[in-house]
Amino acid sequence: MRIVVALGGNALLKRGEPMTAENQRANVRRAAVELAELVKAGHSLVITHGNGPQVGLLALQAAATPGMPFPLDVLDAETAGMIGYVIQQELGNVVKDRPVATLLTQVRVDPRDPAFATPTKPIGPVYDEATARRLAAQRGWAIAPDNDKWRRVVPSPKPLEILEVEVLAFLVERGVIVICAGGGGIPVVNLDSGGIIGVEAVIDKDLASSLLARQLGADMLVMLTDVDAVYLDWGTPKARPLDRVQAGDISAAAFASGSMGPKVEAAIAFATETGQPAAIGKLEDAVEIVAGRRGTRINSGG
């Protein structure tokens, strides 16, 4: 099968870990082992990944350097290259009989998307509430709760079109394992002159992955994270995992907008439009998730 695999932030940095190059590489190395098992099973992979902690750290570094206020689209590109390099190298060390390539990916968004007026996408390190509010006042940030901590939030417009999809398809059809749409891709808008230009935003990785999977004609969309399934009533004594569910019987609105909500929304969109399944589950269960024995599988119901 042709599978788009979206790696969650835990594949790069586990919650609470210091954001060091060594920690990130060690986590990617573990993810590469799981992805290699899917390749060995005969699947064709297109891999996407998040960049929230990394792009936030680069934004902090840029803000601290006089005369170097790089915009978010440039930082998105930097993190896509940086993270893609590590995934490409570690996966290539495990899968030695298949070429692996990273492609910077531009994603068209609507400049009138209401998300630009309502930032929701968490980036950067976590802070206690007092520190977050102090930094927000100093730097003009929007902030929001992230579980028991607080983080900076930025605009996250809906992805409309993967601009490099023809190049991606060309590579995939020739057996290349492609790493792309890093951090949701680089957000760009159309210019009146006919060109494009980047904008200050970070696209949700799962929504971009769903769009990518639809444009590539993928057989399955798999979103790997640090929980074993989608849970109803998460964080309460009544929490219970979902096994198999029809797209029409679930709503993204029932889940947290900063975490599981976009994954469910992405899964519903893919399953509904293509008739193919989407799945959400734990990175270590990747093979079992694809086989339908673990995680939450969302079917079209058609």
Side-chain angles (χ1 to χ4, degrees), residues 229-247:
V230 176
Y231 280 74
L232 292 175
D233 300 316
W234 175 258
T236 75
K238 298 190 295 182
R240 58 198 186 281
L242 293 173
D243 180 18
R244 291 175 180 260
V245 63
Q246 304 301 319

Side-chain angles (χ1 to χ4, degrees), residues 107-118 155-161 187-192 195-201 203:
V107 180
R108 184 172 63 83
V109 301
D110 186 346
R112 296 173 296 277
D113 191 309
F116 286 106
T118 311
S156 183
K158 293 290 177 67
L160 301 178
E161 181 185 10
V188 299
V189 297
N190 289 335
L191 293 171
D192 293 338
I196 58 173
I197 192 168
V199 290
E200 280 269 307
I203 300 170

Side-chain angles (χ1 to χ4, degrees), residues 38-122:
L38 292 176
V39 176
K40 291 175 185 176
H43 300 299
S44 173
L45 300 189
V46 179
I47 301 165
T48 69
H49 60 81
N51 73 340
Q54 293 79 12
V55 76
L57 179 61
L58 286 183
L60 282 173
Q61 292 173 343
T65 306
M68 295 184 64
F70 288 115
L72 280 174
D73 61 301
V74 173
L75 302 182
D76 287 332
E78 287 188 29
T79 55
M82 174 182 69
I83 298 167
Y85 156 69
V86 179
I87 296 174
Q88 178 177 326
Q89 191 172 81
E90 292 298 334
L91 188 57
N93 287 340
V94 183
V95 181
K96 299 183 182 296
D97 60 345
R98 294 280 298 278
V100 185
T102 301
L103 183 69
L104 288 181
T105 314
Q106 299 175 101
V107 180
R108 184 172 63 83
V109 301
D110 186 346
R112 296 173 296 277
D113 191 309
F116 286 106
T118 311
T120 59
K121 180 67 175 175

